[in-house]
Amino acid sequence: MGIFVGSGTRLVVQGITGREGRFHTNRMREYGTSVVAGVTPGRGGSEVDGVPVYDTVAEAVERAGANASCVFVPAPAAADAVAEALAAGVETVVCITEGIPTLDVLAVLDAAKARGWRGRIIGPNCPGIVTSGETLVGIMPGRIFVPGPVGLVSRSGTLTYEVVNLLTSTGIGQSTCVGVGGDPVIGTTFVDCLAEFEQDPSTKAVVLIGEIGGQDEEDAAAFIRDHMSKPVIAFVSGRTAPPGKRMGHAGAIVSGSMGTAESKVRAFRAVGVPVADTIAEIANLTGRALGL
């Protein structure tokens, strides 16, 4: 059990013939993910380590039954690759690629909404998603995940790995971990994930890892106040970042009074969410929330 991906996921890897696509396809298969196809235009009819390659996503859907996609296509063509997956009816699209122009991402999201597409885009510029013990879609290191009661959603790939490893080392497993990406415009948000975790019977508590920039964390706090019955533990990175300087992610920038770490921490604490001051505190707060 988990959210967004699981044992029923049948994955097509867009860009499978590239170095990154091929490498992570094999890592995902080792974890147990059902990779049923790859797509690279002009390479249809070939195979990559036994995975059939098609020219289009539509072929992968029709002939291999793909219902999810992982995009490793280089930035200049990545938005088109996502749009192709949506047009082919893929339910879940995980876009690993970073450096896609924001206007291109907006155009893809707007077009999907205009067509009434009801699927899900995770990313871009994200590490992917793992439902522990079932399915890994993306570039996360599978060996650190163990099944358990904690859902995790994060804007940072590296902090996702660090916190998951910390939870695992203290005996706390995970249901699903989602890296939503650190760009200014992304498909799936904190609120989308919190809503799913609230409905997921295998999730008993949620860890949310935010950072400076934007107002997704403040939106999440309002959602927690109005809709969440499960405990949420938060962490906000970038507390010492100077205003006006972008830190790591494209969306991690404080402009004026918007998006500061202080405003995010204040928003969470105002709705009763414990906020860890350090990464090391997250496991203790999570264990306490679970009654361990």
Side-chain angles (χ1 to χ4, degrees):
M1 288 289 290
I3 66 171
F4 303 148
V5 298
S7 57
T9 296
R10 294 176 60 82
L11 189 70
V12 54
V13 177
Q14 293 178 255
I16 192 172
T17 56
R19 183 183 61 182
E20 297 300 321
R22 181 174 186 167
F23 176 82
H24 289 290
T25 292
N26 285 322
R27 299 291 83 75
M28 289 187 282
R29 295 174 77 192
E30 288 173 3
Y31 193 80
T33 304
S34 178
V35 181
V36 299
V39 165
T40 299
R43 300 288 294 274
S46 61
E47 290 186 349
V48 171
D49 299 326
V51 177
V53 178
Y54 299 97
D55 288 318
T56 67
V57 179
E59 288 180 90
V61 170
E62 179 181 354
R63 299 175 63 180
N67 58 16
S69 170
C70 192
V71 177
F72 288 96
V73 175
D80 286 343
V82 173
E84 181 189 352
L86 307 188
V90 172
E91 298 168 1
T92 301
V93 181
V94 178
C95 185
I96 306 301
T97 308
E98 66 176 304
I100 305 176
T102 300
L103 289 178
D104 290 356
V105 177
L106 280 170
V108 171
L109 295 177
D110 287 346
K113 186 182 297 182
R115 286 199 303 270
W117 182 68
R118 295 182 177 277
R120 183 166 303 283
I121 299 171
I122 299 173
N125 189 18
C126 77
I129 176 172
V130 177
T131 290
S132 298
E134 292 187 30
T135 299
L136 187 160
V137 178
I139 60 175
M140 292 199 250
R143 65 183 180 280
I144 64 175
F145 295 86
V146 297
V150 176
L152 186 147
V153 57
S154 171
R155 288 173 69 182
S156 165
T158 303
L159 290 181
T160 301
Y161 315 150
E162 289 191 25
V163 173
V164 167
N165 193 50
L166 180 66
L167 292 172
T168 296
S169 66
T170 54
I172 301 175
Q174 309 86 41
S175 53
T176 296
C177 301
V178 189
V180 294
D183 279 1
V185 177
I186 55 176
T188 298
T189 65
F190 282 142
V191 169
D192 296 325
C193 294
L194 290 170
E196 293 291 331
F197 281 133
E198 175 68 10
Q199 299 301 318
D200 175 34
S202 63
T203 299
K204 307 303 180 187
V206 179
V207 172
L208 186 155
I209 303 171
E211 64 184 12
I212 58 170
Q215 63 178 48
D216 284 0
E217 289 79 1
E218 287 87 343
D219 293 342
F223 182 86
I224 292 166
R225 178 195 61 207
D226 295 337
H227 302 288
M228 290 290 291
S229 63
K230 298 177 181 179
V232 179
I233 299 90
F235 176 79
V236 179
S237 68
R239 294 194 190 191
T240 59
K245 182 176 178 60
R246 183 167 65 84
M247 303 297 289
H249 290 156
I253 184 170
V254 175
S255 180
S257 60
M258 288 289 294
T260 66
E262 291 77 13
S263 70
K264 296 172 188 295
V265 170
R266 188 165 54 246
F268 284 127
R269 287 179 171 159
V271 299
V273 171
V275 182
D277 290 323
T278 66
I279 292 291
E281 287 185 355
I282 294 175
N284 290 335
L285 291 173
T286 304
R288 194 177 305 163
L290 292 169
L292 300 177

